[in-house]
Amino acid sequence: MSTPTPETPPERPNDTPSNSQKDMAAEHVDSAKPHSKPIVDEAIAEDVPPTDVSLISGNHKPRYYKADNPSFFMQRGYQVLLVLALIAAFFLVMVYQTLFGRIEQPKQMVTIEAGQSYYGLLPQWQSQIPLFSATIAKLYMKMQVDGPLHAGIYQLPENPTFAETLHVLGQGVKAAMVKVQIIEGKTSKDLYQTLRDNKGIKKEVLTRDADNASIAQGLDLVGILPESVVNSSDPIVNHNLEGWFTPDTYYYGEGTSDKQVLLDLYKRQQQALTKAWENRAPNLPYKTPYEALVMASIIEKETSVAEERPLVSAVFRNRLDKGMRMQTDPTIIYGMGNRYEGNIRRKDIDEKTAYNTYQIDGLPPTPIALPSAASIEATLHPAQSDALYFVATGNGGHKFTNSLAAHNQAVKEYLGVMREKKSQTPPL
């Protein structure tokens, strides 16, 4: 066997035609001039994607796909599907949290007042539930609710969801509700009688023989009264809860107890009084919130004109500051109790009772009516006025004056208006 020469390398077992072609191509490239370019078939180059030369050269360059390559569309399709899946998952979580996320609160009775709407429920859930969506909640309400929110008292379960709450409130139209209407300026005695007469209210505190003391004790509200009221020998004053209940129109589920209604009205009045007291004007003559409540009840009885309340408040504030007696007729009437028959006579003005502000200095011992929140606000924010007197005009409203002479003239004018009206009234 002859020895191969260097020009004729021995055949290697792993050599293939392709390998040989690559070696020949490499030799051809090596022997080419430095600035010469390899010859490439342009037709083939257009159809073949770029080769990732990092596998053979170590240069880390990404592989590029042409737009019409199937791999390009598959890669883009997966990306789009992934984004859509993430969006759908986020939306489902938001829906679940909105409708079934729970807020932390104990099982409780919730009062819905006339005029409130379902949309008023949203802020509580938005503040406590992550990812809560008001838009989703509103869409759900439109699908589930077919009527307005009905006033009343509703029992909510412990840690309720929005969907559960909406279901409970939606039963209001089907539930038997009873109406409790307390007009501003009425007394606690009127309130008690209204509840006694309401057949839908369960009697727990307002029994037939209940007096002020037993009612206060039954409601556990003795502690809110001054010692002078608790220990008074006057049956009208003793344990009198006058003024402590907010007048308004309420709706309760049939079978609600009188105790629950009274405590509900008391809490509302207490909140209104506390808020107004904390934001009161300076230099007022009232030492405690209770004294302000007493004054608010007098203002409530003196005028039903909303814009006059701050002026009436200013008159009484000015009189108290000057050490003058308040001399207000509603206090005479309240002090007479059941003896009042519709008219105030001279002997009634001269009679000294615990309430007659023509005969006593300062405020009466308790409120004389159930004052509204507006009267409480007026008491603690009186108008800037030097007026010391006011009298009805006979045509609605009052005339306010700064001197006794001007007041007496206003009284004459009032009496003249009343005489003229009487003369024009046809006989029965």
Side-chain angles (χ1 to χ4, degrees), residues 88-107:
F90 180 80
F91 179 75
L92 290 175
V93 171
M94 185 178 292
V95 171
Y96 181 85
Q97 285 292 92
T98 298
L99 301 182
F100 306 109
R102 296 186 179 277
I103 61 172
E104 294 185 4
Q105 69 178 32
K107 181 179 179 181

Side-chain angles (χ1 to χ4, degrees), residues 136-292:
I136 294 174
K138 290 178 181 179
L139 289 174
Y140 183 77
M141 283 190 285
K142 289 182 179 180
M143 293 187 293
Q144 297 295 322
V145 177
D146 57 0
L149 180 59
H150 287 259
I153 293 184
Y154 299 84
Q155 176 74 64
L156 292 185
E158 181 181 4
N159 301 332
T161 67
F162 184 78
E164 289 173 345
T165 300
L166 207 63
H167 175 74
V168 171
L169 298 180
Q171 302 303 307
V173 67
K174 303 175 184 178
M177 309 298 289
V178 293
K179 181 179 180 180
V180 178
Q181 185 175 30
I182 308 300
I183 300 173
E184 298 170 351
K186 290 292 186 179
T187 65
S188 59
K189 183 179 179 180
D190 297 324
L191 169 61
Y192 299 157
Q193 193 59 47
T194 296
L195 295 177
R196 287 190 181 102
D197 293 342
N198 194 318
K199 296 180 179 179
I201 299 296
K202 179 182 177 182
K203 311 307 181 291
E204 185 176 341
V205 175
L206 301 175
T207 57
R208 182 172 299 180
D209 57 347
D211 57 9
N212 287 340
S214 63
I215 293 173
Q217 291 168 359
L219 298 175
D220 196 24
L221 295 179
V222 176
I224 68 173
L225 299 172
E227 289 296 324
S228 59
V229 174
V230 174
N231 298 323
S232 175
S233 59
D234 189 322
I236 298 179
V237 178
N238 185 266
H239 285 86
N240 192 345
L241 293 174
E242 189 66 79
W244 274 117
F245 307 108
T246 298
D248 208 335
T249 300
Y250 305 92
Y251 293 86
Y252 291 92
E254 188 173 348
T256 301
S257 70
D258 54 4
K259 181 176 181 178
Q260 183 176 323
V261 174
L262 291 172
L263 287 176
D264 181 41
L265 271 58
Y266 161 71
K267 290 177 182 178
R268 292 170 183 270
Q269 193 74 313
Q270 183 187 47
Q271 291 170 357
L273 179 60
T274 300
K275 180 180 178 181
W277 179 260
E278 290 175 350
N279 298 285
R280 66 189 183 279
N283 303 320
L284 295 177
Y286 316 115
K287 298 178 182 178
T288 65
Y290 188 74
E291 289 186 357

Side-chain angles (χ1 to χ4, degrees), residues 43-68:
I44 297 176
E46 291 178 355
D47 297 333
V48 179
T51 301
D52 189 350
V53 296
S54 64
L55 298 176
I56 58 175
S57 67
N59 295 328
H60 299 285
K61 295 182 180 180
R63 175 178 294 178
Y64 298 98
Y65 292 99
K66 297 182 71 65
D68 58 351

